[in-house]
Amino acid sequence: MTGEPRLGDVFGELLRDAYAVHTGIGPRPLVGGRLPRPVIEIIERDDGLVNGAPAAHYLDGPEHWQPYDHRAVDRTRGATLDVGVGGGRIALVLQERGVPVTGLDTSPGALRVSRHRGVRDLVLGTVDEHVGDGRRYDTFLLLGNNLGLIEGRERAPAFLAALAALARPGAQVIAHGTDPYGTTDPVHTGYHEWNRQRGRLGGQLRLRLRYRELGTEWFDYLVCSAEELAELVRGTPWRLTDVDDRDAPYYLATLRLAGPGGGERGRQAVIGARGAGGR
Ligand SMILES: C[S@@+](CC[C@H](N)C(=O)[O-])C[C@H]1O[C@@H](n2cnc3c(N)ncnc32)[C@H](O)[C@@H]1O
């Protein structure tokens, strides 16, 4: 015992327990062996900030969604890859609407919950790993703030190249982001400043998730402004064509594959990035 968390499938365990609380299926976490214990995702940031967020919303039906989730689903068309499908809340609704949707996730436990809830087509892995499977898509969804998976300046080109390699001509990415810069909280403004001093984007969060005795490795997750996103997209096979910020500071960014050959350029870039140690 070191006091440090054991590395594990934090998101999967968290979702499994949230699902047990939600449905009564499976053992539920209890307080004092009797009362249901709320399932809380613990998010540590590398400046020492710790936040807790209830996990139940990962299972929410559309009646509890935010307006931008509805608008994202309404814009979805064709073969769709839900990147970071989580508990399948979005994929289930798309399936009901007859949209051919594939849920991708790096968490085996999240995929188990999604499967149990009825999501039919699920793949374990990252977008880069999925390129070799030969599947191609018209829409990529990065919802639940998953624009964050773009990580920052270093990872963005390879991540967007992998999406382009998975894309059919005319494909779109619909991504939910949050502009972090409206805050006046010195804990956050100080963090943004510290990030810039060390050569990172202000909202390039360095995080570790924890649940019970488990933890993840430290990883980067980006919250950025639409202007920063436009900068990250420049020079990639994608073009930022729309930013819907009706629910500011939250926004939905739409990227479109730029011109013919976008998919092929993406595939070449993925091969190049792999050679350079890309994921
Ligand atoms: C914040 S949750 C969002 C879940 C879902 N999109 C939603 O809106 O409810 C992030 C999800 O992305 C998954 N994830 C994290 N890193 C990933 C990666 N590199 N590739 C694919 N999925 C990833 C996590 O396991 C988790 O299920």
Side-chain angles (χ1 to χ4, degrees):
M1 298 244 181
T2 62
E4 276 296 292
R6 187 159 58 79
L7 285 180
D9 181 8
V10 171
F11 207 82
E13 298 278 302
L14 181 89
L15 268 187
R16 183 202 58 201
D17 283 358
Y19 186 56
V21 170
H22 186 69
T23 59
I25 298 171
R28 284 173 300 164
L30 299 171
V31 183
R34 249 185 105 172
L35 298 174
R37 181 187 289 282
V39 178
I40 307 291
E41 178 177 14
I42 300 296
I43 305 156
E44 285 185 82
R45 201 170 67 182
D46 66 343
D47 59 343
L49 180 74
V50 178
N51 271 317
H57 73 94
Y58 289 121
L59 304 170
D60 274 351
E63 64 282 9
H64 298 298
W65 288 359
Q66 297 298 318
Y68 49 78
D69 282 331
H70 290 279
R71 294 202 296 278
V73 162
D74 289 344
R75 290 174 195 181
T76 301
R77 53 166 185 73
T80 297
L81 186 67
D82 186 351
V83 181
V85 65
R89 65 186 182 97
I90 302 283
L92 281 171
V93 169
L94 289 171
Q95 255 183 205
E96 274 166 29
R97 291 190 182 186
V99 175
V101 58
T102 303
L104 180 78
D105 210 292
T106 47
S107 159
L111 293 180
R112 269 194 295 278
V113 170
S114 271
R115 189 170 299 114
H116 205 272
R117 297 181 80 205
V119 181
R120 290 188 288 268
D121 187 13
L122 291 163
V123 176
L124 178 69
T126 62
V127 288
D128 315 68
E129 289 160 355
H130 192 36
V131 171
D133 296 341
R135 312 264 303 262
R136 300 294 176 256
Y137 301 92
D138 301 296
T139 298
F140 300 91
L141 294 176
L142 296 167
L143 299 183
N145 238 350
N146 254 354
L147 176 59
L149 294 181
I150 203 168
E151 291 184 18
R153 287 189 195 99
E154 282 187 16
R155 169 71 176 143
F159 182 79
L160 292 169
L163 291 185
L166 287 164
R168 288 186 180 153
Q172 59 174 353
V173 178
I174 300 173
H176 168 213
T178 304
D179 186 325
Y181 303 123
T183 182
T184 54
D185 181 339
V187 171
H188 295 304
T189 55
Y191 185 73
H192 298 158
E193 193 42 45
W194 182 46
N195 260 342
R196 290 189 188 105
Q197 282 165 11
R198 49 186 183 153
R200 296 158 63 87
L201 290 168
Q204 187 172 351
L205 311 181
R206 185 111 187 112
L207 303 177
R208 174 168 79 168
L209 305 182
R210 297 184 63 167
Y211 181 61
R212 289 166 54 86
E213 85 288 13
L214 294 183
T216 64
E217 303 269 17
W218 289 94
F219 61 93
D220 282 350
Y221 198 72
L222 184 65
V223 285
C224 66
S225 65
E227 291 74 22
E228 287 173 325
L229 177 62
E231 203 48 51
L232 291 172
V233 169
R234 195 160 299 148
T236 76
W238 298 94
R239 222 175 295 153
L240 176 62
T241 56
D242 186 57
V243 177
D244 167 353
D245 60 0
R246 270 178 276 177
D247 303 307
Y250 310 112
Y251 60 87
L252 280 181
T254 303
L255 311 183
R256 280 193 191 280
L257 201 57
E264 186 47 40
R265 277 205 289 145
R267 279 184 276 286
Q268 293 305 328
V270 168
I271 293 162
R274 278 198 181 135
R279 287 186 282 154

PDB file of all heavy atoms in Angstrom, residues 11 15 41 57-58 82-87 89-90 104-107 110 125-127 143-146 149 221 279, ligand 1:
ATOM      1  N   PHE A  11     -13.299   5.035 -15.294  1.00  0.00           N
ATOM      2  CA  PHE A  11     -14.579   5.418 -15.882  1.00  0.00           C
ATOM      3  C   PHE A  11     -15.539   4.224 -15.914  1.00  0.00           C
ATOM      4  O   PHE A  11     -16.738   4.361 -15.663  1.00  0.00           O
ATOM      5  CB  PHE A  11     -14.365   6.011 -17.274  1.00  0.00           C
ATOM      6  CG  PHE A  11     -15.443   6.956 -17.636  1.00  0.00           C
ATOM      7  CD1 PHE A  11     -15.423   8.260 -17.186  1.00  0.00           C
ATOM      8  CD2 PHE A  11     -16.532   6.524 -18.375  1.00  0.00           C
ATOM      9  CE1 PHE A  11     -16.460   9.124 -17.474  1.00  0.00           C
ATOM     10  CE2 PHE A  11     -17.569   7.377 -18.669  1.00  0.00           C
ATOM     11  CZ  PHE A  11     -17.535   8.683 -18.226  1.00  0.00           C
ATOM     12  N   LEU A  15     -19.080   4.087 -13.984  1.00  0.00           N
ATOM     13  CA  LEU A  15     -20.327   3.923 -14.740  1.00  0.00           C
ATOM     14  C   LEU A  15     -21.088   2.687 -14.291  1.00  0.00           C
ATOM     15  O   LEU A  15     -22.314   2.697 -14.205  1.00  0.00           O
ATOM     16  CB  LEU A  15     -20.030   3.782 -16.238  1.00  0.00           C
ATOM     17  CG  LEU A  15     -20.018   5.038 -17.086  1.00  0.00           C
ATOM     18  CD1 LEU A  15     -19.882   4.646 -18.544  1.00  0.00           C
ATOM     19  CD2 LEU A  15     -21.283   5.855 -16.896  1.00  0.00           C
ATOM     20  N   GLU A  41     -17.479  11.191  -9.544  1.00  0.00           N
ATOM     21  CA  GLU A  41     -16.209  11.142 -10.279  1.00  0.00           C
ATOM     22  C   GLU A  41     -15.283  12.184  -9.642  1.00  0.00           C
ATOM     23  O   GLU A  41     -15.657  13.351  -9.528  1.00  0.00           O
ATOM     24  CB  GLU A  41     -16.515  11.506 -11.739  1.00  0.00           C
ATOM     25  CG  GLU A  41     -15.335  11.565 -12.648  1.00  0.00           C
ATOM     26  CD  GLU A  41     -15.775  11.875 -14.098  1.00  0.00           C
ATOM     27  OE1 GLU A  41     -16.935  12.302 -14.327  1.00  0.00           O
ATOM     28  OE2 GLU A  41     -14.952  11.687 -14.995  1.00  0.00           O
ATOM     29  N   HIS A  57     -25.369  11.672 -14.574  1.00  0.00           N
ATOM     30  CA  HIS A  57     -25.785  12.310 -15.837  1.00  0.00           C
ATOM     31  C   HIS A  57     -25.260  11.580 -17.070  1.00  0.00           C
ATOM     32  O   HIS A  57     -25.774  11.770 -18.168  1.00  0.00           O
ATOM     33  CB  HIS A  57     -25.369  13.783 -15.861  1.00  0.00           C
ATOM     34  CG  HIS A  57     -23.901  13.981 -16.050  1.00  0.00           C
ATOM     35  ND1 HIS A  57     -23.342  14.173 -17.281  1.00  0.00           N
ATOM     36  CD2 HIS A  57     -22.886  13.970 -15.160  1.00  0.00           C
ATOM     37  CE1 HIS A  57     -22.035  14.302 -17.144  1.00  0.00           C
ATOM     38  NE2 HIS A  57     -21.738  14.173 -15.870  1.00  0.00           N
ATOM     39  N   TYR A  58     -24.253  10.724 -16.901  1.00  0.00           N
ATOM     40  CA  TYR A  58     -23.753   9.945 -18.051  1.00  0.00           C
ATOM     41  C   TYR A  58     -24.803   8.957 -18.560  1.00  0.00           C
ATOM     42  O   TYR A  58     -24.654   8.388 -19.637  1.00  0.00           O
ATOM     43  CB  TYR A  58     -22.486   9.178 -17.682  1.00  0.00           C
ATOM     44  CG  TYR A  58     -21.280  10.070 -17.484  1.00  0.00           C
ATOM     45  CD1 TYR A  58     -20.596  10.097 -16.272  1.00  0.00           C
ATOM     46  CD2 TYR A  58     -20.829  10.892 -18.511  1.00  0.00           C
ATOM     47  CE1 TYR A  58     -19.495  10.912 -16.089  1.00  0.00           C
ATOM     48  CE2 TYR A  58     -19.731  11.715 -18.346  1.00  0.00           C
ATOM     49  CZ  TYR A  58     -19.066  11.720 -17.130  1.00  0.00           C
ATOM     50  OH  TYR A  58     -17.973  12.530 -16.957  1.00  0.00           O
ATOM     51  N   ASP A  82     -19.527   7.620 -32.446  1.00  0.00           N
ATOM     52  CA  ASP A  82     -19.654   8.346 -31.180  1.00  0.00           C
ATOM     53  C   ASP A  82     -18.354   8.095 -30.412  1.00  0.00           C
ATOM     54  O   ASP A  82     -18.147   7.019 -29.840  1.00  0.00           O
ATOM     55  CB  ASP A  82     -20.888   7.805 -30.438  1.00  0.00           C
ATOM     56  CG  ASP A  82     -21.208   8.594 -29.175  1.00  0.00           C
ATOM     57  OD1 ASP A  82     -20.389   9.447 -28.780  1.00  0.00           O
ATOM     58  OD2 ASP A  82     -22.279   8.337 -28.587  1.00  0.00           O
ATOM     59  N   VAL A  83     -17.466   9.098 -30.441  1.00  0.00           N
ATOM     60  CA  VAL A  83     -16.115   8.932 -29.889  1.00  0.00           C
ATOM     61  C   VAL A  83     -16.164   9.189 -28.375  1.00  0.00           C
ATOM     62  O   VAL A  83     -16.452  10.298 -27.941  1.00  0.00           O
ATOM     63  CB  VAL A  83     -15.125   9.909 -30.573  1.00  0.00           C
ATOM     64  CG1 VAL A  83     -13.720   9.707 -30.005  1.00  0.00           C
ATOM     65  CG2 VAL A  83     -15.139   9.722 -32.084  1.00  0.00           C
ATOM     66  N   GLY A  84     -15.870   8.155 -27.596  1.00  0.00           N
ATOM     67  CA  GLY A  84     -16.033   8.235 -26.141  1.00  0.00           C
ATOM     68  C   GLY A  84     -17.505   8.083 -25.820  1.00  0.00           C
ATOM     69  O   GLY A  84     -18.127   8.967 -25.240  1.00  0.00           O
ATOM     70  N   VAL A  85     -18.054   6.925 -26.188  1.00  0.00           N
ATOM     71  CA  VAL A  85     -19.507   6.702 -26.105  1.00  0.00           C
ATOM     72  C   VAL A  85     -19.998   6.679 -24.662  1.00  0.00           C
ATOM     73  O   VAL A  85     -21.177   6.943 -24.397  1.00  0.00           O
ATOM     74  CB  VAL A  85     -19.885   5.407 -26.864  1.00  0.00           C
ATOM     75  CG1 VAL A  85     -19.277   4.181 -26.193  1.00  0.00           C
ATOM     76  CG2 VAL A  85     -21.386   5.227 -26.988  1.00  0.00           C
ATOM     77  N   GLY A  86     -19.098   6.379 -23.713  1.00  0.00           N
ATOM     78  CA  GLY A  86     -19.465   6.369 -22.288  1.00  0.00           C
ATOM     79  C   GLY A  86     -20.584   5.378 -22.022  1.00  0.00           C
ATOM     80  O   GLY A  86     -20.533   4.214 -22.435  1.00  0.00           O
ATOM     81  N   GLY A  87     -21.625   5.830 -21.343  1.00  0.00           N
ATOM     82  CA  GLY A  87     -22.758   4.972 -21.006  1.00  0.00           C
ATOM     83  C   GLY A  87     -23.784   4.865 -22.126  1.00  0.00           C
ATOM     84  O   GLY A  87     -24.862   4.285 -21.928  1.00  0.00           O
ATOM     85  N   ARG A  89     -25.607   7.193 -23.762  1.00  0.00           N
ATOM     86  CA  ARG A  89     -26.849   7.989 -23.753  1.00  0.00           C
ATOM     87  C   ARG A  89     -27.161   8.567 -25.129  1.00  0.00           C
ATOM     88  O   ARG A  89     -28.326   8.596 -25.534  1.00  0.00           O
ATOM     89  CB  ARG A  89     -26.799   9.091 -22.676  1.00  0.00           C
ATOM     90  CG  ARG A  89     -25.748  10.124 -22.916  1.00  0.00           C
ATOM     91  CD  ARG A  89     -25.580  11.137 -21.793  1.00  0.00           C
ATOM     92  NE  ARG A  89     -24.567  12.101 -22.200  1.00  0.00           N
ATOM     93  CZ  ARG A  89     -24.816  13.284 -22.743  1.00  0.00           C
ATOM     94  NH1 ARG A  89     -26.051  13.685 -22.892  1.00  0.00           N
ATOM     95  NH2 ARG A  89     -23.842  14.067 -23.146  1.00  0.00           N
ATOM     96  N   ILE A  90     -26.132   9.008 -25.874  1.00  0.00           N
ATOM     97  CA  ILE A  90     -26.358   9.604 -27.186  1.00  0.00           C
ATOM     98  C   ILE A  90     -26.598   8.501 -28.222  1.00  0.00           C
ATOM     99  O   ILE A  90     -27.531   8.571 -29.035  1.00  0.00           O
ATOM    100  CB  ILE A  90     -25.134  10.458 -27.598  1.00  0.00           C
ATOM    101  CG1 ILE A  90     -24.850  11.553 -26.559  1.00  0.00           C
ATOM    102  CG2 ILE A  90     -25.296  11.003 -29.008  1.00  0.00           C
ATOM    103  CD1 ILE A  90     -25.748  12.753 -26.582  1.00  0.00           C
ATOM    104  N   LEU A 104     -17.367   4.146 -29.760  1.00  0.00           N
ATOM    105  CA  LEU A 104     -15.939   3.852 -29.552  1.00  0.00           C
ATOM    106  C   LEU A 104     -15.558   4.324 -28.155  1.00  0.00           C
ATOM    107  O   LEU A 104     -15.946   5.431 -27.747  1.00  0.00           O
ATOM    108  CB  LEU A 104     -15.123   4.623 -30.597  1.00  0.00           C
ATOM    109  CG  LEU A 104     -13.601   4.457 -30.560  1.00  0.00           C
ATOM    110  CD1 LEU A 104     -13.201   3.126 -31.199  1.00  0.00           C
ATOM    111  CD2 LEU A 104     -12.917   5.606 -31.309  1.00  0.00           C
ATOM    112  N   ASP A 105     -14.791   3.525 -27.445  1.00  0.00           N
ATOM    113  CA  ASP A 105     -14.351   3.962 -26.114  1.00  0.00           C
ATOM    114  C   ASP A 105     -13.121   3.161 -25.707  1.00  0.00           C
ATOM    115  O   ASP A 105     -12.962   2.001 -26.109  1.00  0.00           O
ATOM    116  CB  ASP A 105     -15.467   3.774 -25.070  1.00  0.00           C
ATOM    117  CG  ASP A 105     -15.389   4.795 -23.949  1.00  0.00           C
ATOM    118  OD1 ASP A 105     -14.418   4.733 -23.154  1.00  0.00           O
ATOM    119  OD2 ASP A 105     -16.276   5.677 -23.883  1.00  0.00           O
ATOM    120  N   THR A 106     -12.270   3.784 -24.892  1.00  0.00           N
ATOM    121  CA  THR A 106     -11.085   3.087 -24.375  1.00  0.00           C
ATOM    122  C   THR A 106     -11.391   2.363 -23.071  1.00  0.00           C
ATOM    123  O   THR A 106     -10.522   1.664 -22.549  1.00  0.00           O
ATOM    124  CB  THR A 106      -9.944   4.102 -24.128  1.00  0.00           C
ATOM    125  OG1 THR A 106     -10.484   5.222 -23.420  1.00  0.00           O
ATOM    126  CG2 THR A 106      -9.329   4.568 -25.431  1.00  0.00           C
ATOM    127  N   SER A 107     -12.582   2.522 -22.543  1.00  0.00           N
ATOM    128  CA  SER A 107     -12.937   1.909 -21.259  1.00  0.00           C
ATOM    129  C   SER A 107     -13.777   0.651 -21.480  1.00  0.00           C
ATOM    130  O   SER A 107     -14.926   0.734 -21.926  1.00  0.00           O
ATOM    131  CB  SER A 107     -13.735   2.915 -20.413  1.00  0.00           C
ATOM    132  OG  SER A 107     -14.487   2.238 -19.430  1.00  0.00           O
ATOM    133  N   ALA A 110     -17.070   0.924 -19.596  1.00  0.00           N
ATOM    134  CA  ALA A 110     -18.076   1.797 -20.224  1.00  0.00           C
ATOM    135  C   ALA A 110     -18.761   1.031 -21.353  1.00  0.00           C
ATOM    136  O   ALA A 110     -19.988   1.118 -21.517  1.00  0.00           O
ATOM    137  CB  ALA A 110     -17.411   3.066 -20.755  1.00  0.00           C
ATOM    138  N   GLY A 125     -11.155   1.043 -28.072  1.00  0.00           N
ATOM    139  CA  GLY A 125      -9.898   1.605 -28.581  1.00  0.00           C
ATOM    140  C   GLY A 125      -9.983   3.098 -28.819  1.00  0.00           C
ATOM    141  O   GLY A 125     -10.981   3.751 -28.514  1.00  0.00           O
ATOM    142  N   THR A 126      -8.883   3.614 -29.385  1.00  0.00           N
ATOM    143  CA  THR A 126      -8.792   5.035 -29.723  1.00  0.00           C
ATOM    144  C   THR A 126      -9.137   5.211 -31.205  1.00  0.00           C
ATOM    145  O   THR A 126      -9.192   4.234 -31.957  1.00  0.00           O
ATOM    146  CB  THR A 126      -7.354   5.541 -29.513  1.00  0.00           C
ATOM    147  OG1 THR A 126      -6.503   4.799 -30.403  1.00  0.00           O
ATOM    148  CG2 THR A 126      -6.887   5.338 -28.086  1.00  0.00           C
ATOM    149  N   VAL A 127      -9.292   6.450 -31.631  1.00  0.00           N
ATOM    150  CA  VAL A 127      -9.566   6.698 -33.051  1.00  0.00           C
ATOM    151  C   VAL A 127      -8.402   6.194 -33.906  1.00  0.00           C
ATOM    152  O   VAL A 127      -8.624   5.624 -34.982  1.00  0.00           O
ATOM    153  CB  VAL A 127      -9.858   8.185 -33.350  1.00  0.00           C
ATOM    154  CG1 VAL A 127     -11.223   8.574 -32.824  1.00  0.00           C
ATOM    155  CG2 VAL A 127      -8.792   9.119 -32.824  1.00  0.00           C
ATOM    156  N   LEU A 143     -19.002  14.332 -27.808  1.00  0.00           N
ATOM    157  CA  LEU A 143     -19.960  14.996 -26.912  1.00  0.00           C
ATOM    158  C   LEU A 143     -19.565  14.771 -25.449  1.00  0.00           C
ATOM    159  O   LEU A 143     -18.633  14.039 -25.150  1.00  0.00           O
ATOM    160  CB  LEU A 143     -21.376  14.527 -27.229  1.00  0.00           C
ATOM    161  CG  LEU A 143     -21.813  14.853 -28.677  1.00  0.00           C
ATOM    162  CD1 LEU A 143     -23.251  14.434 -28.910  1.00  0.00           C
ATOM    163  CD2 LEU A 143     -21.616  16.329 -29.013  1.00  0.00           C
ATOM    164  N   GLY A 144     -20.298  15.440 -24.547  1.00  0.00           N
ATOM    165  CA  GLY A 144     -19.919  15.372 -23.133  1.00  0.00           C
ATOM    166  C   GLY A 144     -18.559  16.035 -22.934  1.00  0.00           C
ATOM    167  O   GLY A 144     -17.733  15.551 -22.172  1.00  0.00           O
ATOM    168  N   ASN A 145     -18.329  17.151 -23.620  1.00  0.00           N
ATOM    169  CA  ASN A 145     -17.065  17.924 -23.550  1.00  0.00           C
ATOM    170  C   ASN A 145     -15.897  17.207 -24.197  1.00  0.00           C
ATOM    171  O   ASN A 145     -14.745  17.581 -23.980  1.00  0.00           O
ATOM    172  CB  ASN A 145     -16.708  18.253 -22.100  1.00  0.00           C
ATOM    173  CG  ASN A 145     -16.587  19.744 -21.877  1.00  0.00           C
ATOM    174  OD1 ASN A 145     -16.589  20.537 -22.828  1.00  0.00           O
ATOM    175  ND2 ASN A 145     -16.476  20.148 -20.638  1.00  0.00           N
ATOM    176  N   ASN A 146     -16.153  16.181 -25.017  1.00  0.00           N
ATOM    177  CA  ASN A 146     -15.054  15.367 -25.536  1.00  0.00           C
ATOM    178  C   ASN A 146     -14.237  16.015 -26.645  1.00  0.00           C
ATOM    179  O   ASN A 146     -13.321  15.380 -27.160  1.00  0.00           O
ATOM    180  CB  ASN A 146     -15.557  13.974 -25.970  1.00  0.00           C
ATOM    181  CG  ASN A 146     -15.120  12.914 -24.972  1.00  0.00           C
ATOM    182  OD1 ASN A 146     -14.370  13.207 -24.052  1.00  0.00           O
ATOM    183  ND2 ASN A 146     -15.582  11.687 -25.155  1.00  0.00           N
ATOM    184  N   LEU A 149     -10.571  15.630 -26.044  1.00  0.00           N
ATOM    185  CA  LEU A 149      -9.677  14.552 -26.484  1.00  0.00           C
ATOM    186  C   LEU A 149      -8.619  15.047 -27.469  1.00  0.00           C
ATOM    187  O   LEU A 149      -7.658  14.355 -27.756  1.00  0.00           O
ATOM    188  CB  LEU A 149     -10.477  13.404 -27.118  1.00  0.00           C
ATOM    189  CG  LEU A 149     -11.418  12.623 -26.192  1.00  0.00           C
ATOM    190  CD1 LEU A 149     -12.115  11.515 -26.960  1.00  0.00           C
ATOM    191  CD2 LEU A 149     -10.662  12.054 -24.997  1.00  0.00           C
ATOM    192  N   TYR A 221      -6.359  17.139 -21.269  1.00  0.00           N
ATOM    193  CA  TYR A 221      -7.743  17.269 -21.757  1.00  0.00           C
ATOM    194  C   TYR A 221      -7.935  18.753 -21.996  1.00  0.00           C
ATOM    195  O   TYR A 221      -7.706  19.570 -21.104  1.00  0.00           O
ATOM    196  CB  TYR A 221      -8.696  16.750 -20.674  1.00  0.00           C
ATOM    197  CG  TYR A 221     -10.085  16.411 -21.150  1.00  0.00           C
ATOM    198  CD1 TYR A 221     -10.321  15.286 -21.923  1.00  0.00           C
ATOM    199  CD2 TYR A 221     -11.172  17.203 -20.789  1.00  0.00           C
ATOM    200  CE1 TYR A 221     -11.614  14.954 -22.344  1.00  0.00           C
ATOM    201  CE2 TYR A 221     -12.456  16.881 -21.204  1.00  0.00           C
ATOM    202  CZ  TYR A 221     -12.665  15.751 -21.973  1.00  0.00           C
ATOM    203  OH  TYR A 221     -13.947  15.420 -22.379  1.00  0.00           O
ATOM    204  N   ARG A 279      -0.262   8.262 -31.073  1.00  0.00           N
ATOM    205  CA  ARG A 279      -1.135   7.206 -30.569  1.00  0.00           C
ATOM    206  C   ARG A 279      -2.282   6.976 -31.517  1.00  0.00           C
ATOM    207  O   ARG A 279      -2.801   7.917 -32.055  1.00  0.00           O
ATOM    208  CB  ARG A 279      -1.713   7.590 -29.215  1.00  0.00           C
ATOM    209  CG  ARG A 279      -0.687   7.517 -28.158  1.00  0.00           C
ATOM    210  CD  ARG A 279      -1.307   7.757 -26.828  1.00  0.00           C
ATOM    211  NE  ARG A 279      -1.559   9.184 -26.624  1.00  0.00           N
ATOM    212  CZ  ARG A 279      -2.512   9.638 -25.801  1.00  0.00           C
ATOM    213  NH1 ARG A 279      -3.298   8.807 -25.205  1.00  0.00           N
ATOM    214  NH2 ARG A 279      -2.658  10.915 -25.616  1.00  0.00           N
TER     215      ARG A 279
HETATM  216  C1  LIG B   1     -16.640  12.787 -20.314  1.00  0.00           C
HETATM  217  S1  LIG B   1     -17.083  11.148 -20.830  1.00  0.00           S
HETATM  218  C2  LIG B   1     -18.277  11.485 -22.099  1.00  0.00           C
HETATM  219  C3  LIG B   1     -19.187  10.310 -22.374  1.00  0.00           C
HETATM  220  C4  LIG B   1     -20.265  10.525 -23.443  1.00  0.00           C
HETATM  221  N1  LIG B   1     -19.715  11.066 -24.678  1.00  0.00           N
HETATM  222  C5  LIG B   1     -21.377  11.417 -22.934  1.00  0.00           C
HETATM  223  O1  LIG B   1     -21.562  12.515 -23.479  1.00  0.00           O
HETATM  224  O2  LIG B   1     -22.081  10.999 -21.996  1.00  0.00           O
HETATM  225  C6  LIG B   1     -15.626  10.688 -21.718  1.00  0.00           C
HETATM  226  C7  LIG B   1     -15.645   9.295 -22.359  1.00  0.00           C
HETATM  227  O3  LIG B   1     -14.544   9.221 -23.299  1.00  0.00           O
HETATM  228  C8  LIG B   1     -13.839   8.003 -23.086  1.00  0.00           C
HETATM  229  N2  LIG B   1     -12.448   8.208 -23.558  1.00  0.00           N
HETATM  230  C9  LIG B   1     -11.420   8.795 -22.881  1.00  0.00           C
HETATM  231  N3  LIG B   1     -10.324   8.835 -23.654  1.00  0.00           N
HETATM  232  C10 LIG B   1     -10.657   8.289 -24.842  1.00  0.00           C
HETATM  233  C11 LIG B   1      -9.952   8.073 -26.060  1.00  0.00           C
HETATM  234  N4  LIG B   1      -8.666   8.438 -26.206  1.00  0.00           N
HETATM  235  N5  LIG B   1     -10.602   7.483 -27.083  1.00  0.00           N
HETATM  236  C12 LIG B   1     -11.911   7.111 -26.959  1.00  0.00           C
HETATM  237  N6  LIG B   1     -12.641   7.294 -25.817  1.00  0.00           N
HETATM  238  C13 LIG B   1     -12.015   7.875 -24.782  1.00  0.00           C
HETATM  239  C14 LIG B   1     -13.985   7.727 -21.616  1.00  0.00           C
HETATM  240  O4  LIG B   1     -13.735   6.371 -21.300  1.00  0.00           O
HETATM  241  C15 LIG B   1     -15.423   8.147 -21.389  1.00  0.00           C
HETATM  242  O5  LIG B   1     -16.321   7.109 -21.686  1.00  0.00           O
END
